[in-house]
Amino acid sequence: MKTIDELLSDGVAGKRVFVRADLNVPLDGTAITDDGRIRAVLPTVKALAEAGARVVVASHLGRPKGAPDPAFSLAPAATRLGELLGTDVAFATDTVGDSAQATVASLADGQVAVIENLRFNAGETSKDDAERAAFADQLAALADVYVGDGFGAVHRKHASVFDLPARLPHYAGHLIATEVGVLKKLTQDVERPYVVALGGAKVSDKLAVIDQLLGKADRLLIGGGMAYTFLKAQGHEVGISLLQQDQVPVVQEYMERAEKNGVELVLPVDVLVAPEFPDLKTKAPAHPTTVAADAIPADQEGLDIGPETRKLYASKLADAATVFWNGPMGVFEHPDYAEGTKAVAQALLDSPGFTVVGGGDSAAAVRTLGFDESAFGHISTGGGASLEYLEGKTLPGLAALED
């Protein structure tokens, strides 16, 4: 895989460089609530612009249905990118139409443009190879060189991620090169003890990665909504907590494998419960109760790990040489249920080892809860991509960047 460093050493002045970024930021109307993904692509865009390239930044945002939808416009992301770069960023109001062509044609050396949401064109996400290829051909006409730097999308077989690199000289941007390097540290010659903390809502989302980690990790710490399926598999009452009953047999088998493989599988010993899910808009006090993990009342819902579990998980992370964390421990968006996620984040900061926050909600939690991002070993920009890499899958966007 050739990197942007090689491209820059060859010279890019005057060349149109298509940067497939991940600007899929959360929005409240038109206000960006977390600009982490925009910040993540800055090193690549800055380096290209400073070297005299005419930079064309492209991304998806949300899940529009293959047609323009103002609610998913990249205009706010383009504005924020300009603010962070300290320069004007042009914005094309379509993907490959008149506006995109005119905007790219008007770029001078060192200038940057963003084209509209790629998913406004059905060809971007089409499962039909010919339709995707046709859209990739149109995108290729806008550029001379391709730089892949949208790590959060590399697990998707989409036109701008998979098909377009085949049509242009292609390189990995700084972000993708960094992400791949970090993931190799989690899969090849891992320094031990290797501890993985997994949370989030659904155990089904993490089954494949758990399957792989049962042969690699030394300890697995389970939290979040998925923990209740594990507690159910142990025969405990979980009340009205999030539960995937159909996954209980699989979880039971994984627990048996963990014991057989000598992998320490650590589950909550206490949880915070309430009779209903909290109001995340008003953040009204929820008044949770702490109960033992094997004593959840039938009419209560588990919403965070309890204080004893926080101490337990911190102790299990204290001697780790390598840590991977993906998924919050509870409903961190509400202050009454944020302490479990805070405790795991703090334990990563206190750990002497190499710590990786695996994207998605975990990365959002780190920023929302006020932690210093630079204090962690690495914060990934792609939760789903990171998990699929750890599962051992071939990621289309990475495969497309290989020569």
Side-chain angles (χ1 to χ4, degrees), residues 112-129:
V112 180
V114 174
I115 62 174
E116 186 55 285
N117 192 335
L118 292 164
R119 291 185 183 175
F120 284 2
N121 190 304
E124 170 67 0
T125 60
S126 177
K127 289 182 170 53
D128 180 86
D129 291 348

Side-chain angles (χ1 to χ4, degrees), residues 191-197 218-221 264 266 309-324 343-355:
E191 290 192 34
R192 299 183 181 279
Y194 178 21
V195 185
V196 177
D218 298 300
R219 290 182 206 128
L220 281 176
L221 315 181
E264 187 179 2
V266 189
T309 304
R310 292 172 218 153
K311 293 177 189 174
L312 174 64
Y313 285 13
S315 72
K316 297 296 182 182
L317 289 161
D319 67 342
T322 304
V323 181
F324 175 72
V344 169
Q346 186 61 52
L348 262 69
L349 291 182
D350 296 339
S351 169
F354 179 63
T355 56

Side-chain angles (χ1 to χ4, degrees), residues 4-350:
I4 187 174
D5 290 333
E6 295 171 78
L7 172 61
L8 292 170
S9 68
D10 291 340
V12 291
K15 292 183 179 178
R16 300 170 302 161
V17 180
F18 188 103
V19 177
R20 201 332 179 162
D22 179 7
L23 308 181
N24 185 28
V25 292
L27 295 172
D28 182 1
T30 59
I32 297 169
T33 58
D34 182 353
D35 65 0
R37 285 175 170 161
I38 302 176
R39 290 179 179 276
V41 79
L42 282 179
T44 289
V45 175
K46 269 186 174 180
L48 289 167
E50 289 173 359
R54 303 178 181 192
V55 187
V56 182
V57 181
S59 176
H60 69 287
L61 191 151
R63 296 179 182 273
K65 306 297 184 182
D69 182 339
F72 298 105
S73 175
L74 275 176
T79 299
R80 183 59 179 149
L81 178 62
E83 291 171 353
L84 293 169
L85 288 171
T87 187
D88 290 336
V89 168
F91 181 67
T93 57
D94 57 24
T95 56
V96 291
D98 291 343
S99 179
Q101 292 174 36
T103 300
V104 173
S106 69
L107 289 176
D109 292 2
Q111 291 186 330
V112 180
V114 174
I115 62 174
E116 186 55 285
N117 192 335
L118 292 164
R119 291 185 183 175
F120 284 2
N121 190 304
E124 170 67 0
T125 60
S126 177
K127 289 182 170 53
D128 180 86
D129 291 348
E131 186 176 11
R132 269 199 338 274
F135 183 48
D137 286 341
Q138 291 178 295
L139 291 172
L142 298 174
D144 306 305
V145 181
Y146 177 93
V147 172
D149 215 33
F151 182 74
V154 293
H155 58 316
R156 306 295 188 193
K157 192 176 181 181
H158 291 169
S160 66
V161 176
F162 178 74
D163 302 88
L164 181 55
R167 289 158 169 75
L168 295 169
H170 47 269
Y171 302 82
H174 289 308
L175 176 61
I176 280 187
T178 298
E179 294 273 11
V180 171
V182 166
L183 288 169
K184 285 181 177 177
K185 286 187 179 182
L186 299 177
T187 53
Q188 302 171 13
D189 299 321
V190 182
E191 290 192 34
R192 299 183 181 279
Y194 178 21
V195 185
V196 177
L198 294 177
K202 294 182 178 180
V203 69
S204 57
D205 293 341
K206 307 284 168 69
L207 285 177
V209 76
I210 292 172
D211 182 58
Q212 286 292 316
L213 290 169
L214 287 175
K216 293 186 173 73
D218 298 300
R219 290 182 206 128
L220 281 176
L221 315 181
I222 305 295
M226 63 186 286
Y228 302 100
T229 301
F230 278 84
L231 292 172
K232 187 71 171 180
Q234 287 185 322
H236 301 315
E237 169 67 56
V238 298
I240 57 172
S241 306
L242 188 63
L243 171 66
Q244 290 187 280
Q245 183 68 49
D246 60 325
Q247 302 297 335
V248 168
V250 181
V251 166
Q252 288 173 327
E253 190 248 320
Y254 282 6
M255 293 169 76
E256 291 169 5
R257 275 179 54 202
E259 186 174 3
K260 181 180 177 182
N261 292 351
V263 176
E264 187 179 2
L265 183 60
V266 189
L267 300 179
V269 294
D270 62 346
V271 297
L272 268 60
V273 299
E276 60 187 12
F277 198 82
D279 188 324
L280 298 183
K281 285 194 174 181
T282 66
K283 307 289 176 72
H287 306 296
T289 303
T290 301
V291 300
D294 60 357
I296 298 174
D299 63 347
Q300 301 279 306
E301 180 177 8
L303 295 163
D304 194 13
I305 58 174
E308 293 304 315
T309 304
R310 292 172 218 153
K311 293 177 189 174
L312 174 64
Y313 285 13
S315 72
K316 297 296 182 182
L317 289 161
D319 67 342
T322 304
V323 181
F324 175 72
W325 169 36
N326 180 278
M329 296 291 108
V331 187
F332 74 91
E333 299 91 342
H334 191 286
D336 288 349
Y337 302 107
E339 293 305 316
T341 301
K342 278 185 184 177
V344 169
Q346 186 61 52
L348 262 69
L349 291 182
D350 296 339

